[in-house]
């Protein structure tokens, strides 16, 4: 199925990006790809769009003129059908030599003859390289033909196929556009707004999901400060007493290390680190990565006024930590530090109220005058007195003190801009797929493959390969990663105490996010319930997306909102009964969605284990990694609210793997 997903999205992406430049034969390639998957209607939609864009007048799409397909074998029925549609436009088709979806076998033979003649004059290394190229080409053709057989058709409508399998690759409508300030990618509209704030030396509260690109603005601010320091290196011993600074504030030591590594990877050794247990170039750097309590100590120190004056931007990462038990330093820094800031967060509950408070605080700090280093001022005054109040240029002409003051550069990064922008972005780069880990067997059984000195086979193909190698293959146990629909969480709470015949009161929170797959799964369960046929029938994806050749991220989100609203309205009605009777329709849907998780909990309880205990988490962390590897979900990032538990988990994984590795080495040594 993975190849079908890639083929579908590549075909649509080519058409979307290069529609105006596609030739007729290239258009036939795109239509061929869709027909291979069984989506003939999709191919016809694209053809009509293509004809409309190029101002062509299509005739009967099924009619074929007298000309046969140019240089094509009769076996290629999919391409024949695509070309037949194109001939319906009444245009003459011709294919240049060597052009086509599948390279002709005759052309391959001609190429082989030419290559044979050349091989006589090439070295052995060149012959081997040419052989590898031919083998790769033939392998690609074989896989392409394999995909084109009828057995690889997906067997469902294009709309359902996109919602079930195409969510991660759906196009995001975020108004990306090239920007001279950015290289390597096109920033989204909200990202360009962040760059504008930095250019204006303003402040901003940026609320966006994790991994959506909000940290990008902080690196842009760093680049501006570092570039200025590099260009003005001879002037760094000015009234500020050193280079300009930018401070990155993190809530934890682990995040400090991660950010410092990112700064080093981008800009080299320009960073410093200051935490309770580590101090590295803290007062001799251009980018300081620190904790809020450490920065507060510097702010309150009378000996660090000149250092504070050199700070031209502060980045507050995970600024929602202000609402936590250690939020005091965050609040005092935001209310008193005399520099513009970027406050980053993914989980601010009420951004507007927080933005109002930040604007009030920044209006006060923007009025704090820029400080200078008194020691540097005294040294410069002494130099001027010794030189008689003037300096000599290269040609020996003196310049008075007034002339020097006039030529002093204006402050390039003033701290007096009180504006605080509010930038809220709600779209994730990729939808979150929720799963719950319920180990299907005891820990020792799950780690059998490691005990035999091999990595657990991820699928039947790997298992067969290991078997051919003569390795001992333990039984491949089912994965403990169970799909968890977000609506199923309601069944463990609000719906659990609903009485028969009473209003369920089930409500889906508006902040609950659905992936496209979650939407279609909930629709299927509502349809199976057998109630509210009129409302549910309107949610049929084939009818909802009728006429849309491609479903984008925004269209899928709108469909998800409609699903949630309909389910909430449908579940609030009294007296609804499913076909089996007894429970309400809504609760029946919830219970079916939660069934895999409940069965997993029963399996764990049958082994006399508590799935919510610390001991259970420590015991099954390595089997979890084994299952993640089997499903190709590594590398992964683990979040834990308890730092001590997070460290203990890492140590447990390392120690267990080392022990198993030593056992495998001893076993191999004894066998030898």
């Amino acid at each position: 199925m993975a190849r079908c997903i890639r083929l579908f999205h590549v075909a649509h992406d080519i058409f979307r990006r290069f529609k105006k430049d596609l030739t007729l034969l290239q258009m036939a390639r795109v239509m061929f790809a869709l027909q291979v998957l069984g989506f003939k209607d999709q191919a016809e939609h694209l053809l009509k769009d293509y004809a409309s864009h190029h101002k062509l007048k299509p005739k009967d799409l099924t009619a074929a003129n007298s000309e046969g397909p140019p240089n094509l074998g009769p076996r290629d029925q999919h391409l024949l059908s695509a070309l037949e549609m194109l001939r319906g436009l009444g245009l003459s088709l011709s294919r240049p030599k060597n052009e086509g979806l599948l390279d002709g076998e005759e052309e391959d033979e001609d190429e082989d003859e030419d290559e044979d003649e050349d091989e006589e004059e090439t070295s052995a290394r060149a012959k081997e390289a040419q052989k590898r190229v031919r083998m790769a080409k033939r392998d690609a053709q074989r896989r392409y033909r394999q995909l084109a057989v009828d057995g690889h058709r997906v067997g469902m409508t294009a709309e359902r196929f996109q919602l079930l399998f195409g969510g991660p690759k759906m196009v995001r409508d975020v108004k990306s556009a090239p920007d001279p300030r950015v290289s390597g990618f096109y920033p989204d509209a909200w990202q360009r707004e962040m760059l504008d704030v930095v250019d204006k030396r303003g402040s901003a509260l940026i609320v966006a999901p994790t991994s959506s690109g909000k940290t990008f603005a902080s690196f842009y601010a760093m680049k501006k400060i570092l570039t200025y320091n590099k260009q003005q290196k001879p002037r760094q011993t000015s009234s500020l007493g050193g280079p300009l600074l930018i401070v990155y504030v993190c809530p934890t030591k682990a995040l400090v290390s991660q950010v410092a590594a990112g700064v080093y990877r981008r800009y080299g050794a320009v960073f410093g680190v200051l935490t309770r247990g580590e101090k590295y170039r803290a007062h001799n750097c251009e980018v300081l990565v620190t904790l809020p309590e450490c920065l507060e100590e510097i702010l309150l120190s009378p000996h660090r006024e000149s250092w504070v004056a050199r700070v031209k931007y502060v980045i507050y990462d995970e600024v929602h930590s202000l609402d936590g038990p250690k939020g005091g330093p965050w609040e005092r820094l935001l209310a008193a530090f005399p520099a513009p800031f970027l406050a980053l967060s993914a989980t601010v509950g009420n951004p507007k109220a927080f933005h109002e408070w930040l604007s009030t605080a920044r209006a006060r700090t923007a009025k704090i005058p820029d400080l200078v280093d008194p020691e540097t001022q005294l040294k410069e005054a002494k130099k001027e007195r010794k030189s008689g109040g003037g300096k000599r240029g290269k040609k020996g002409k003196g310049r008075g003190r007034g002339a020097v003051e006039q030529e002093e550069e204006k402050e390039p990064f003033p701290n007096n801009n009180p504006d605080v922008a509010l930038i809220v972005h709600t779209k994730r780069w990729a939808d979150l797929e929720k799963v719950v880990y319920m180990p299907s067997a005891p820990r020792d059984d799950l780690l059998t493959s490691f005990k035999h000195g091999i990595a657990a086979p991820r699928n039947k193909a790997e298992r067969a390969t290991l078997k051919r190698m003569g390795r001992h293959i333990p039984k491949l146990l089912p994965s403990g990663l169970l799909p968890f629909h977000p609506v199923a969480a309601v069944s463990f709470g609000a719906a659990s105490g609903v009485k028969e015949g009473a209003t369920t009161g089930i409500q889906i929170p508006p902040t609950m996010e659905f992936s496209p797959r979650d939407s279609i799964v909930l629709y299927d369960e509502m349809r199976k319930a057998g109630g509210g046929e009129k409302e549910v029938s309107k949610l049929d994806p084939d009818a909802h997306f009728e006429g849309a050749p491609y479903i984008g991220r925004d269209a899928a989100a709108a469909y998800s909102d409609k699903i949630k609203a309909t389910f909430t309205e449908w579940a609030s009605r009294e007296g609804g009964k499913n076909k089996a009777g007894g429970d309400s329709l809504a609760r029946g849907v919830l219970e079916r969605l939660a069934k895999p998780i409940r069965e997993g909990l029963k399996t764990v309880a049958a082994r006399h284990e508590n799935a919510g205990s610390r001991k259970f988490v420590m015991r099954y962390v390595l089997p979890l990694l084994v299952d993640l590897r089997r499903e190709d979900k590594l590398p992964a990032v683990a979040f834990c609210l308890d730092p001590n538990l997070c460290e203990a988990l890492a140590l447990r994984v390392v120690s267990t793997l080392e022990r198993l590795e030593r056992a495998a080495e001893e076993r191999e040594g004894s066998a030898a």
Side-chain angles (χ1 to χ4, degrees), residues 55-116:
K55 299 181 180 180
L56 303 174
K57 297 180 179 180
K59 299 178 181 178
D60 184 7
L61 295 178
T62 60
N65 55 22
S66 58
E67 297 181 11
N71 302 327
L72 292 175
R75 72 184 187 284
D76 199 350
Q77 297 299 324
H78 297 300
L79 188 54
L80 285 172
S81 178
L83 291 174
E84 181 179 336
M85 290 184 182
L86 288 172
R87 285 198 306 274
L89 298 173
L91 301 176
S92 176
L93 300 178
S94 61
R95 185 179 67 163
K97 185 178 180 181
N98 297 339
E99 182 176 357
L101 270 171
L102 300 177
D103 294 325
E105 294 179 358
E106 298 82 1
E107 296 164 358
D108 288 342
E109 293 175 359
D110 294 339
E111 291 175 5
D112 291 340
E113 292 177 1
D114 295 338
E115 290 173 358
D116 292 340

Side-chain angles (χ1 to χ4, degrees), residues 25-36:
L25 282 169
Q26 290 170 340
M27 185 61 196
R29 294 168 186 249
V30 174
M31 296 168 61
F32 166 83
L34 296 176
Q35 291 191 83
V36 163

